[in-house]
Amino acid sequence: MTNAIQSSDRAAIEKIVASLEAAWNTGDGKAFGAPFSTDADFVNIRADHFQSRDAIAAGHDAIFRTIYAGSVNRYKVESVRLLRPDVALAHVHAVLNSPAGPLAGTHASRFSIVLTREGGGWQIASLHNTLVASDSR
Amino acid sequence: MTNAIQSSDRAAIEKIVASLEAAWNTGDGKAFGAPFSTDADFVNIRADHFQSRDAIAAGHDAIFRTIYAGSVNRYKVESVRLLRPDVALAHVHAVLNSPAGPLAGTHASRFSIVLTREGGGWQIASLHNTLVASDSR
């Protein structure tokens, strides 16, 4: 069952999501990967599965320079709850504006993240993203 | 960081995934919802977000009787790792054969599940599903 979440933990997780958004919008793959644990899992909107912080950073570096160059993402944290005192689950709604490429235009997605509290703070262990169906937008 | 997983825990999680597959293939919404915690989160391939076991069961009951009537799903557990001794993360590849409806034909997806070990065994706290991109199948 869900445990109550402290406002400081909620704030820390909001800050991590904001750092992902900032990394996307500056096209910085390394910064995008930074909040993930070294062995993190990442499933993108195509259902491609990346495993490791390095793979996540490199994959984003590639798309920031190609199909998503110049795109802008806006993330809104919809919910956060604790599965354990040191394990959190959050859902985030994303709106991407892409000037060109296969997703040119505005597209919404919803991703979930699982975070664990490690020595220095929260890290993302898993991210899973799904494009919002076009007739649901 | 990941902890080693006992073969008994891996087997228990494989069994839960098999129970989801069996529930889908018999069109039993209540059985599909059974392995979830009462406050579980579920994001489907349209990025619709269901919250609670009851909502997950009712939602599946509805699609089993309509757009997915007569469909057959095959699930393959691709990976399982522990985030904590009592928190597991698994990734599953699904192949759906649907005789009719908006997804008539064969479609692959990949979902992740987060499970917590409660008194009586493992429960699914979160499931997130994404359709595999058509040019990746």
Side-chain angles (χ1 to χ4, degrees), chain B residues 2-127:
Chain B
T2 301
N3 302 287
I5 187 164
Q6 301 280 332
S7 59
S8 57
D9 287 324
R10 169 89 191 207
I13 291 168
E14 294 262 7
K15 193 171 175 183
I16 286 173
V17 172
S19 79
L20 292 176
E21 181 189 273
W24 186 290
N25 294 336
T26 54
D28 186 336
K30 190 174 177 188
F32 192 92
F36 289 85
S37 60
T38 56
D39 58 351
D41 289 89
F42 188 105
V43 178
N44 69 12
I45 58 167
R46 299 170 50 83
D48 299 323
H49 183 186
F50 296 89
Q51 290 169 283
S52 87
R53 178 196 292 158
D54 289 347
I56 294 164
H60 281 80
D61 194 54
I63 61 175
F64 292 155
R65 288 189 286 159
T66 55
I67 58 170
Y68 290 124
S71 66
V72 176
N73 239 325
R74 294 294 170 220
Y75 294 160
K76 180 180 166 50
V77 176
E78 296 178 312
S79 57
V80 185
R81 67 187 180 97
L82 293 181
L83 304 181
R84 291 291 183 265
D86 56 357
V87 181
L89 170 69
H91 286 78
V92 180
H93 187 263
V95 178
L96 175 69
N97 272 285
S98 196
L103 281 185
T106 302
H107 296 272
S109 74
R110 177 167 286 113
F111 63 84
S112 56
I113 49 176
V114 181
L115 305 102
T116 60
R117 191 202 310 270
E118 306 300 338
W122 292 94
Q123 286 192 324
I124 305 172
S126 172
L127 187 154

Side-chain angles (χ1 to χ4, degrees), chain A residues 61-72:
Chain A
D61 193 55
I63 62 176
F64 292 155
R65 288 188 285 158
T66 54
I67 57 170
Y68 289 124
S71 66
V72 176

